[in-house]
Amino acid sequence: MGHMNDNDVRAGQARPSIARTYDYLLGGRDHYVIDEEFGRYFEQVLTGSEQIAVSNRRALERAVRALAHAGVDQIIDLGCGLPAKENVHQIARQHLPQTRVVYVDNDPIVISHGQAMLAVDEDVAVVQADVREPEVIREHPEVARLITFDRPVGLLFGAVLGFIEEDDDPVGIVRYWAEVIAPGSFVYVSCFRAGDNRRTALVQEQVRKVLGRGGWRSAEVIASMFDGLELVGPGVIPCVQWQPDGGAGPEPTDWERLIVSGLARKN
Ligand SMILES: C[S@@+](CC[C@H](N)C(=O)[O-])C[C@H]1O[C@@H](n2cnc3c(N)ncnc32)[C@H](O)[C@@H]1O
């Protein structure tokens, strides 16, 4: 992996990271052996749970297409992750070539790879910031340069709020953004939703133990993230089923029930 100094590399290899493990599970190449080993645990021991990552990503891609079809041409991708096969600006621009995207993540590896691979022109920026500090992000010079808050904007929270501890108020973070965006804007959230079987508990235990954080949220807490907004499509349902037009995809496995998504509009 290039673009990083020795300290970043040493720190990065000490334990698996969220972004790199996710990259492994999506079939990417930007991870270390330690992330691969953790990813293999999901594939080989909790077999089927790796689909949590895949179904999450596919739903996010559908959401981005839906934003483009709704005419939203500015997007902030919060907790964007490492460059993937299809990235938000590429998907959106298939329909709206003028789309501007700000990618935000707090992981230095995501930033170095993102700046090398995603910041392809002056209408895409990759910003290192913490989702727990929405005001800092809102006022970041790159956000100010690319995003016009009196026009509709699309906000993506793809599988990031589950990594924000309750004390850091993930619901309040969404609410902050819901207040500052213009009518006609959209908020997309995908989040781990608590199930009621032991295997769910096992995934959560492992994620917390190995990655250091990560929590499954109740359906009520996830619903409250959309307070004051109007859910569109099918509401909050498992990512694998979620279709922006309301149609339902395949029946989820027990694992796939553990990640849900919703898209809401600000009226
Ligand atoms: C599971 S990945 C999801 C990537 C992408 N959003 C998606 O849904 O395909 C979660 C990402 O959130 C980032 N993340 C976690 N906590 C964060 C925080 N407090 N601030 C910014 N990024 C964060 C991680 O570094 C990781 O890249």
Side-chain angles (χ1 to χ4, degrees), residues 1 4-18 20-21 31-38 107 109 209-212:
M1 304 205 341
M4 301 188 55
N5 66 39
D6 288 350
N7 283 342
D8 282 340
V9 171
R10 270 195 298 276
Q13 287 176 333
R15 73 178 338 177
S17 88
I18 302 164
R20 295 189 316 251
T21 303
H31 49 264
Y32 299 120
V33 172
I34 197 166
D35 309 296
E36 187 171 331
E37 281 168 3
F38 187 43
D107 181 333
I109 297 181
K209 194 168 100 193
V210 177
L211 300 177

Side-chain angles (χ1 to χ4, degrees), residues 18-19 22 56-57 60 79-81 105-107 110 129-132 158-160 164 213:
I18 302 164
Y22 184 65
N56 175 70
R57 186 67 194 178
L60 180 122
C80 59
D105 209 286
N106 66 348
D107 181 333
V110 172
D130 196 308
V131 169
R132 292 171 296 183
V160 63
I164 310 268
R213 61 205 161 104

Side-chain angles (χ1 to χ4, degrees), residues 3 9 14 23 30 46 67 70 89 131 164 172 208 214 238:
H3 321 293
V9 171
D23 172 77
D30 294 331
L46 304 177
L67 293 181
H89 68 283
V131 169
I164 310 268
R208 277 204 84 83

Side-chain angles (χ1 to χ4, degrees), residues 49-126:
S49 66
E50 70 277 6
Q51 291 304 319
I52 294 174
V54 177
S55 65
N56 175 70
R57 186 67 194 178
R58 295 293 97 79
L60 180 122
E61 292 164 357
R62 294 193 290 278
V64 172
R65 277 189 203 101
L67 293 181
H69 286 288
V72 174
D73 63 0
Q74 33 177 13
I75 296 176
I76 308 177
D77 185 358
L78 296 151
C80 59
L82 282 156
K85 285 200 187 83
E86 273 200 298
N87 297 290
V88 169
H89 68 283
Q90 294 160 326
I91 299 167
R93 286 177 174 184
Q94 285 163 9
H95 190 70
L96 286 183
Q98 75 275 21
T99 304
R100 299 167 163 226
V101 177
V102 180
Y103 292 103
V104 179
D105 209 286
N106 66 348
D107 181 333
I109 297 181
V110 172
I111 301 309
S112 60
H113 282 237
Q115 282 171 347
M117 294 171 64
L118 301 178
V120 287
D121 60 44
E122 59 185 21
D123 286 341
V124 182
V126 180

